[in-house]
Amino acid sequence: MIRQYFILLMFFLFLGGCAQQITSKTILYDNWKAHLADQKTWHVKGKLAFISPDERQSANLNWQQTKNNNNLVLTSFIGTRILQLRQTSEGAELEFDDDKYYDTNAAQLLKRLTGFTLPVNNAENWLKGTIDAQSLKVDELGRATQVLWFDDIGKKWQIEYASYIQSAGYWLPTKITLKHQKIKIKITTLRLAI
């Protein structure tokens, strides 16, 4: 009987030791926001909802940024590719309806061919929550909560950040809402890897 109690005690001590090893705490960078803004390679996976007075659409979002190039892929919930938008320093290429289209401005190309308004030219700042604007409101931890912001073609956007997670030394946004006139775009990031 004592042997069984000893075995159970050892088992629980082993489980307790494993649990302590698994739960490690991430330490934030002292100046996490500046470090995050400097990151030129990152990857976002999540869900996107586009809401306008005329329509509602939703898709899976996969966005990869590498230095000055980015690649946006939107897929349906069953995995069918809706579109792929690549941006480089030379311009943008959109694959849509089995054809390829080119333009110097990715946001205008996307709007012209799909009717979808999204400030893709400046995604690096608003997706990471590192926008720096006079209207920026932050919480007690310095995280963006709300901002009025103008994209590179002069459109005014209201952006709200509803929640964050702490990962790899940064605060990363997980729920973002962008509003422009009667258009609302909701993004829920399932994974933002830096």
Side-chain angles (χ1 to χ4, degrees), residues 10-24:
M10 293 305 289
F11 177 72
F12 287 122
L13 286 174
F14 174 74
L15 285 179
C18 291
Q20 289 177 0
Q21 289 176 355
I22 291 171
T23 57
S24 62

Side-chain angles (χ1 to χ4, degrees), residues 52-158:
S52 73
D54 301 328
E55 64 182 317
R56 292 176 160 257
Q57 296 181 10
S58 56
N60 293 318
L61 167 80
N62 188 338
W63 198 309
Q64 293 182 328
Q65 174 89 24
T66 308
K67 295 188 180 177
N68 295 326
N69 302 325
N70 66 50
N71 186 37
L72 167 66
V73 177
L74 296 180
T75 58
S76 69
F77 289 106
I78 58 171
T80 306
R81 186 169 70 178
I82 299 167
L83 64 84
Q84 181 169 7
L85 178 65
R86 293 182 194 93
Q87 284 181 278
T88 66
S89 55
E90 284 115 36
E93 173 189 280
L94 177 67
E95 285 185 46
F96 180 66
D97 283 342
D98 297 323
D99 285 321
K100 290 184 181 180
Y101 304 90
Y102 303 91
D103 199 320
T104 55
N105 187 304
Q108 290 178 348
L109 177 63
L110 186 65
K111 172 70 174 164
R112 186 174 72 241
L113 293 171
T114 67
F116 189 65
T117 301
L118 183 65
V120 292
N121 298 342
N122 311 94
E124 179 176 347
N125 293 322
W126 61 260
L127 257 177
K128 294 188 295 185
T130 57
I131 282 183
D132 187 22
Q134 203 169 24
S135 64
L136 179 66
K137 294 180 183 174
V138 297
D139 64 12
E140 66 279 358
L141 298 173
R143 303 175 302 189
T145 58
Q146 190 176 44
V147 65
L148 287 175
W149 169 77
F150 290 88
D151 65 16
D152 66 329
I153 56 175
K155 289 186 179 177
K156 182 179 174 182
W157 294 87
Q158 179 180 338

Side-chain angles (χ1 to χ4, degrees), residues 6 9-10 16 26 33 40 44 55 105 110 148 177 186 193:
F6 180 71
L9 176 65
M10 293 305 289
T26 303
K33 199 177 235 182
K40 299 300 179 197
V44 173
E55 64 182 317
N105 187 304
L110 186 65
L148 287 175
T177 302
K186 292 185 174 187

